[in-house]
Amino acid sequence: MLNLERLRTLDALARFGSVSGAAEGLHVTTSAVSQQLAKLEREVGQQLLARNGRGVRLTDAGRLLADHAARILSQVELAQSDIEAQRGEVVGEVRLGAFPTAARGLFPATLAALRADHPELKVRTAELEPEDGIRAVMRGDIDLAVVLDWSNKRLPVPGGLAMAELLDDAPDIAMPAGHPLADRAEVDLEDFADDDWISWPEGEFCHDWLMFTLRSKGVEPRIAHLAGEHHTQLALIAAGVGVCVAPRLGRGAVPDGVRLVPVRQKMRRHVHAVWRADADRRPSIRAAVAALRAAGREFDAPLNGDGTA
């Protein structure tokens, strides 16, 4: 009898390509991964791994079993989904992840609606950047991730995942109230070629988008400050030290001394929910998507330059 957790370990090794990658993906130690794989080799009576320099590779038998493991784990997920769907009730537990502004902007209303409509459903949440959220869904750490991409820079979504659009987020440019462009009705990003920018931390999807977008317009961005929290970015702008892109989702109160001006090019952040396709029939997933969409409708109204609707 093949052990399901050992098959999960083999599947993680096949997907992440190394023992350390599998350990990180499964949130266990590398020695725990090695022990599980050694036990699996004894169970099947064949060598599944071979040395490859300082790492390991799957043998032919290992690749064969890894392919079966992926299908078995998918069938387990599908069985759980079907059982939940058969019962037809939104119960049990659903684990949600979202990038920080979506967590701040969508989760409060979403959790309140789910608690009111489905009191027997337990909801757990976590803040995760889009790429981390997708990886967490793929390895089963969470059930659904709220992710984003931009109209000119898409987020790659692997096969095997289902996606639903939640809302389009229209960002503005935030600048000090005394900025020469603060009284404009609209602006272009290239209007700020000579300004210092406040950006998200390096390596984050939105930072990469900002660099890509400005460079595509012939502007080499002057990144003066990095801040992950929009409140911090806006506080720096209130101090007069730069400009930033300010999405409306989860923005909150705008400090005195900050002016928000829409972008003429009609940039959009597309906000989506993603989950494993083999969990598509789970009532809890459908309920969570519906609640997230309802929470997102609040951000459809255009905002004025002072941040109010």
Side-chain angles (χ1 to χ4, degrees):
M1 181 69 70
L2 294 173
N3 180 279
L4 192 61
E5 286 308 308
R6 289 167 199 155
L7 290 178
R8 197 180 303 279
T9 303
L10 180 65
D11 176 65
L13 179 70
R15 287 189 288 112
F16 293 104
S18 67
V19 171
S20 60
E24 182 180 355
L26 296 170
H27 300 294
V28 298
T29 63
T30 54
S31 61
V33 169
S34 297
Q35 290 171 14
Q36 289 281 56
L37 294 173
K39 291 177 180 178
L40 185 59
E41 284 187 326
R42 289 196 294 270
E43 285 179 352
V44 301
Q46 292 194 60
Q47 184 179 358
L48 303 176
L49 304 177
R51 288 287 177 187
N52 184 30
R54 294 185 177 181
V56 296
R57 62 173 177 82
L58 292 173
T59 64
D60 289 345
R63 285 194 296 271
L64 177 64
L65 186 56
D67 288 342
H68 282 292
R71 289 193 292 271
I72 290 168
L73 294 171
S74 179
Q75 283 300 120
V76 169
E77 182 74 35
L78 187 59
Q80 293 172 334
S81 177
D82 283 346
I83 289 296
E84 191 173 318
Q86 176 70 26
R87 186 165 48 190
E89 299 174 356
V90 183
V91 297
E93 179 180 88
V94 65
R95 300 160 297 171
L96 311 179
F99 58 95
T101 51
R104 183 165 60 247
L106 298 179
F107 276 177
T110 297
L111 298 182
L114 289 174
R115 178 180 296 177
D117 296 340
H118 310 289
E120 294 187 35
L121 178 67
K122 179 180 179 181
V123 185
R124 294 168 55 192
T125 65
E127 283 191 1
L128 295 168
E129 289 300 322
E131 298 94 332
D132 296 332
I134 286 177
R135 285 193 289 267
V137 170
M138 290 184 65
R139 65 181 176 238
D141 291 344
I142 62 174
D143 301 301
L144 180 150
V146 179
V147 302
L148 67 90
D149 57 20
W150 293 82
S151 50
N152 64 333
K153 188 174 177 62
R154 294 299 189 180
L155 179 71
V157 177
L161 298 183
M163 175 183 289
E165 183 175 341
L166 299 179
L167 71 143
D168 279 353
D169 187 18
D172 302 313
I173 302 298
M175 66 195 78
H179 193 282
L181 303 180
D183 293 329
R184 291 266 191 97
E186 292 181 318
V187 291
D188 295 315
L189 261 67
E190 54 266 38
D191 293 338
F192 302 90
D194 296 326
D195 283 271
D196 288 336
W197 282 89
I198 301 166
S199 178
W200 298 267
E202 293 181 7
E204 289 192 7
F205 186 79
C206 287
H207 175 84
D208 294 344
W209 165 83
L210 180 63
M211 302 295 286
F212 167 80
T213 301
L214 287 171
R215 286 170 176 165
S216 71
K217 297 178 179 297
V219 176
E220 183 56 34
R222 290 168 28 186
I223 305 297
H225 307 283
L226 300 174
E229 286 290 332
H230 285 166
H231 292 314
T232 304
Q233 295 179 2
L234 294 177
L236 291 172
I237 289 170
V241 299
V243 300
C244 78
V245 175
R248 298 174 184 181
L249 176 62
R251 179 187 290 167
V254 177
D256 292 337
V258 174
R259 171 72 177 171
L260 300 170
V261 180
V263 179
R264 185 174 292 109
Q265 297 101 327
K266 304 301 180 187
M267 297 184 304
R268 291 291 185 271
R269 290 201 313 177
H270 306 295
V271 182
H272 311 278
V274 296
W275 61 93
R276 290 177 65 99
D278 48 23
D280 195 52
R281 287 183 286 232
R282 289 179 57 188
S284 57
I285 294 289
R286 296 185 178 187
V289 171
L292 286 164
R293 278 179 166 160
R297 294 190 190 108
E298 173 187 345
F299 300 96
D300 289 340
L303 299 186
N304 300 315
D306 61 359
T308 62

